[in-house]
Amino acid sequence: MKKHLNTLFVTMEGAYLRKDGAAVEIRHDGESKLRVPLHNLEGIACFGWDIGASASLIAACAEAGVAISFHNPHGKFMAATRGYTSGNVLLRREQYRRADHEPAAVAIAANMLAAKLSNSRQVMMRAARDHGDKSATRAFALSQAADFLAVRIGLLGRATSLDSLRGIEGDAAAAYFAAFPHLLVNHDPAIAITGRSRRPPLDPVNALLSFLYSLLMHDCRSALESCGLDPQCGFLHRDRPGRPSLALDLMEEFRSFLADRVALTLFNRRQLTATDFRTEESGAVLLKDDSRKAVLVAWQERKQDEITHPFLDETVTVGMLPQLQARLLARHLRGDLDAYPAFLSK
Amino acid sequence: MFDEDHLVAISALQHWLYCPRQCALIHVERAWEENKFTAQGRVMHERAHEGPNESRPGIRITRGLPVRSLGLGLSGQCDVVEFHTDGRVVPVEYKRGKPKAHRADEVQLCAQALCLEEMLGGAIEGGCLYYGERRRRTPVNFDHELRDLVTVTASSVRECLTTGTTPPAEYEPRRCDACSLIELCQPRSLRFRRGAAAWFQQRLRAAMATDVNADPGDS
């Protein structure tokens, strides 16, 4: 009975996590700061350069299926601890076979991308519905971009190579991010976004998106691990040592529905403003340490929202989506389903 | 004769008779989820195995005894085996609930007995199932019918494990809703077994059909 549980976020530099009975205890400067029972957790995510964990805690977490991951202070994933490789070797072999067989990989990746584009399109149409009447320019730009994505979804269904899928996705992403300013309605020029920038993020919106994507990646990676898939071997994203390509694949269908919507809400409700970010000499923009907490709270709250899963037709929390989709992917690879039913939001 | 590397777990026979797909999920897919029932069962077995081996007048009790049969290709562990001074050997298996309509528990116990027969070289006529809910023993007679069922089940399980195939799900509420693996198995989703592709395309078209002015409701 996999429950949607909490992720414990540790952002205090110098914190040390140790096992205390069946709980994790966070210590700092020789003082106990917090105790949380492990059975209430599904993950522990540490953000900082100087956060440690005891071997006995790591062992207990591996046993209890609690993922521990380490990120730099800006949210970039660095490492995760894990126990022995578990799960089904036959499943992983099938995963590798399909990844090596382009038509099979295209079939899975095309569904993932179609869901990504459809979900992005829903975010834009939702904004057009809610805010379009205030500006004709906005309504026009959003519906133009939505139409552009609809055509790209049609092209995905006819693509026969991974490279052509990547090309279509690239065009769609450029159009989506070109229209992204119209999703922001608080008119603060200091948080304007000009296209997607990642290394480094060059504006507050990109800085926030990068941080949220790193949280989403952590959840997708854990979901894949827990159902026995190899997060490093992807269908769309090419293998590269150290890159969790399948986790990046799985993320695609959730980016707009989970991360982008949280970002838009935070800016549109002015829960985050330009003062929550700082700009480095290079022009790189970073989320301030103190402001991360508001983002993490919003993220956790979003994960508690309930929806009806379109394929399973059950009420689930959005936080469970990566788990459920990873299982459906495994079921498809094992031959239970004739296609991978990627997540399509309404 | 099977070699030691190719022995099938006796517990797999029990899983198979409950549900072949559950057996494959546990022993092929290596999936395991605990629920209330499995947790109670686990605690009960831990208790059954606890404590020292003991002797009472006329009886010696061994707990957690590992057994195997190279003839049947099975291996497992007996909760309790009683060695009586009159030569009788009686395996006892502890179960959480109550006697069931299917014969999974009897097959598991009989499989243990067949292993003991091969290892000890004598005949074992019967054993006992102890059911936690009614707190008493139910005697089980190892007749030909039950022994044949063990053999047949063992070969079905072996074939499943050798080919590594997981049988399709068939949703049966009474069985499936009590199963700890229901969320991994997702038996209800398999109504789309041959239609996930069609479902996805149809759903995608429906999503494309919604436009800016339509109100598809909150997501």
Side-chain angles (χ1 to χ4, degrees):
Chain A
M1 275 188 296
K2 185 86 189 169
K3 288 259 164 54
H4 169 53
L5 301 167
N6 287 318
T7 301
L8 173 66
F9 296 102
V10 184
T11 58
M12 191 191 290
E13 289 285 357
Y16 185 72
L17 282 58
R18 60 183 287 279
K19 180 172 174 288
D20 179 13
V24 51
E25 181 189 28
I26 302 177
R27 296 186 70 82
H28 189 259
D29 275 346
E31 271 180 54
S32 178
K33 296 287 182 190
L34 184 73
R35 273 180 93 262
V36 185
L38 281 179
H39 68 258
N40 288 339
L41 293 177
E42 75 181 8
I44 300 175
C46 305
F47 294 84
W49 295 118
D50 187 22
I51 296 174
S54 73
S56 67
L57 176 71
I58 290 169
C61 286
E63 169 99 350
V66 177
I68 309 181
S69 62
F70 295 91
H71 306 248
N72 76 11
H74 316 304
K76 184 177 183 296
F77 175 83
M78 298 188 294
T81 65
R82 51 176 295 181
Y84 282 116
T85 300
S86 62
N88 180 6
V89 65
L90 302 177
L91 171 65
R92 281 195 294 277
R93 266 195 192 278
E94 186 60 31
Q95 179 188 350
Y96 303 142
R97 269 194 291 271
R98 303 255 190 129
D100 284 343
H101 182 59
E102 184 152 11
V106 165
I108 295 171
N111 281 10
M112 290 171 157
L113 287 182
K116 170 184 181 162
L117 269 51
S118 176
N119 296 343
S120 298
R121 198 171 163 271
Q122 297 296 337
V123 168
M124 289 195 289
M125 293 198 301
R126 185 190 176 89
R129 271 202 316 279
D130 294 350
H131 309 293
D133 53 339
K134 292 169 204 143
S135 153
T137 324
R138 170 181 295 142
F140 181 73
L142 290 174
S143 67
Q144 285 286 95
D147 289 347
F148 187 87
L149 291 194
V151 173
R152 296 301 163 293
I153 290 169
L155 295 180
L156 286 174
R158 292 193 286 279
T160 53
S161 74
L162 289 168
D163 275 335
S164 58
L165 287 182
R166 292 180 188 117
I168 297 164
E169 198 272 331
D171 291 347
Y176 175 66
F177 281 107
F180 208 88
H182 296 289
L183 300 173
L184 293 161
V185 293
N186 70 352
H187 303 298
D188 182 350
I191 57 158
I193 171 177
T194 42
R196 176 84 180 113
S197 53
R198 298 179 293 139
R199 294 184 182 166
L202 299 174
D203 55 60
V205 181
N206 272 298
L208 179 58
L209 288 178
S210 288
F211 183 66
L212 288 167
Y213 291 155
S214 73
L215 299 177
L216 179 57
M217 213 276 279
H218 168 263
D219 289 355
C220 287
R221 188 188 171 109
S222 303
L224 293 166
E225 294 263 4
S226 70
C227 63
L229 287 159
D230 180 345
Q232 290 206 52
C233 172
F235 300 106
L236 179 69
H237 288 85
R238 291 190 183 89
D239 290 354
R240 191 191 298 161
R243 177 157 87 165
S245 299
L246 188 61
L248 295 171
D249 286 0
L250 183 63
M251 266 177 78
E252 296 289 7
E253 52 202 273
F254 306 122
R255 282 179 193 267
S256 59
F257 183 72
L258 291 179
D260 298 1
R261 277 178 54 176
V262 169
L264 292 169
T265 303
L266 284 168
F267 285 124
N268 287 341
R269 292 187 187 155
R270 294 181 190 274
Q271 287 167 286
L272 279 189
T273 62
T275 58
D276 291 299
F277 298 85
R278 64 189 158 83
T279 307
E280 308 276 278
E281 285 84 348
S282 64
V285 176
L286 300 172
L287 184 62
K288 285 183 185 167
D289 292 354
D290 301 341
S291 305
R292 252 185 268 140
K293 192 166 176 185
V295 179
L296 293 170
V297 168
W299 176 249
Q300 284 299 105
E301 282 175 357
R302 175 72 178 126
K303 283 168 63 167
Q304 304 294 342
D305 288 347
E306 289 191 341
I307 59 161
T308 302
H309 190 280
F311 186 73
L312 298 171
D313 197 27
E314 289 169 24
T315 303
V316 300
T317 58
V318 302
M320 269 299 282
L321 289 173
Q323 284 282 348
L324 294 168
Q325 291 303 129
R327 283 178 204 165
L328 288 171
L329 179 58
R331 298 259 68 95
H332 167 56
L333 293 174
R334 291 290 293 150
D336 281 345
L337 298 167
D338 63 347
Y340 168 59
F343 173 74
L344 288 169
S345 74
K346 266 194 214 167
Chain B
M1 291 292 270
F2 294 95
D3 63 58
E4 289 189 341
D5 283 343
H6 295 90
L7 301 182
V8 169
I10 290 175
S11 59
L13 307 188
Q14 191 210 11
H15 296 138
W16 180 268
L17 289 171
Y18 183 77
C19 168
R21 182 171 165 89
Q22 187 204 52
C23 177
L25 288 174
I26 295 170
H27 299 276
V28 178
E29 314 271 338
R30 315 301 291 178
W32 184 252
E33 286 286 334
E34 192 143 274
N35 69 7
K36 186 177 79 184
F37 303 130
T38 62
Q40 286 172 350
R42 181 174 49 76
V43 170
M44 183 152 180
H45 276 95
E46 281 165 7
R47 280 207 202 116
H49 290 193
E50 252 173 34
N53 295 340
E54 52 186 293
S55 293
R56 288 189 215 140
I59 200 170
R60 184 161 54 79
I61 294 171
T62 307
R63 295 170 190 276
L65 184 66
V67 294
R68 61 114 175 86
S69 160
L70 299 180
L72 286 166
L74 294 174
S75 72
Q77 210 177 22
C78 302
D79 284 343
V80 165
V81 181
E82 296 177 354
F83 294 89
H84 294 252
T85 41
D86 63 6
R88 278 185 306 129
V89 177
V90 179
V92 184
E93 175 68 16
Y94 283 71
K95 290 288 163 198
R96 182 196 66 79
K98 53 191 175 209
K100 300 159 189 91
H102 55 74
R103 305 199 73 186
D105 295 344
E106 290 157 83
V107 163
Q108 185 182 12
L109 182 69
C110 184
Q112 295 170 3
L114 298 185
C115 291
L116 285 167
E117 285 184 347
E118 185 180 299
M119 296 177 89
L120 305 171
I124 300 177
E125 284 166 17
C128 290
L129 289 165
Y130 176 91
Y131 284 102
E133 252 178 50
R134 47 157 69 173
R135 295 169 168 277
R136 81 171 73 107
R137 288 180 170 195
T138 306
V140 177
N141 182 26
F142 303 140
D143 56 21
H144 281 298
E145 197 194 331
L146 184 57
R147 286 167 187 259
D148 287 349
L149 186 55
V150 172
T151 313
V152 169
T153 309
S155 70
S156 302
V157 172
R158 177 172 302 280
E159 195 193 336
C160 169
L161 301 193
T162 308
T163 59
T165 48
T166 304
E170 280 167 36
Y171 181 59
E172 275 182 35
R174 278 190 55 196
R175 178 189 65 184
C176 294
D177 292 347
C179 177
S180 70
L181 295 180
I182 184 163
E183 291 189 28
L184 290 162
C185 175
Q186 294 174 328
R188 280 183 296 259
S189 79
L190 293 218
R191 67 188 185 277
F192 293 115
R193 182 169 160 70
R194 290 284 161 258
W199 176 90
F200 187 78
Q201 291 310 322
Q202 186 257 321
R203 175 93 189 188
L204 191 60
R205 277 197 301 277
M208 288 307 102
T210 56
D211 64 26
V212 171
N213 300 316
D215 182 8
D218 197 16
S219 48

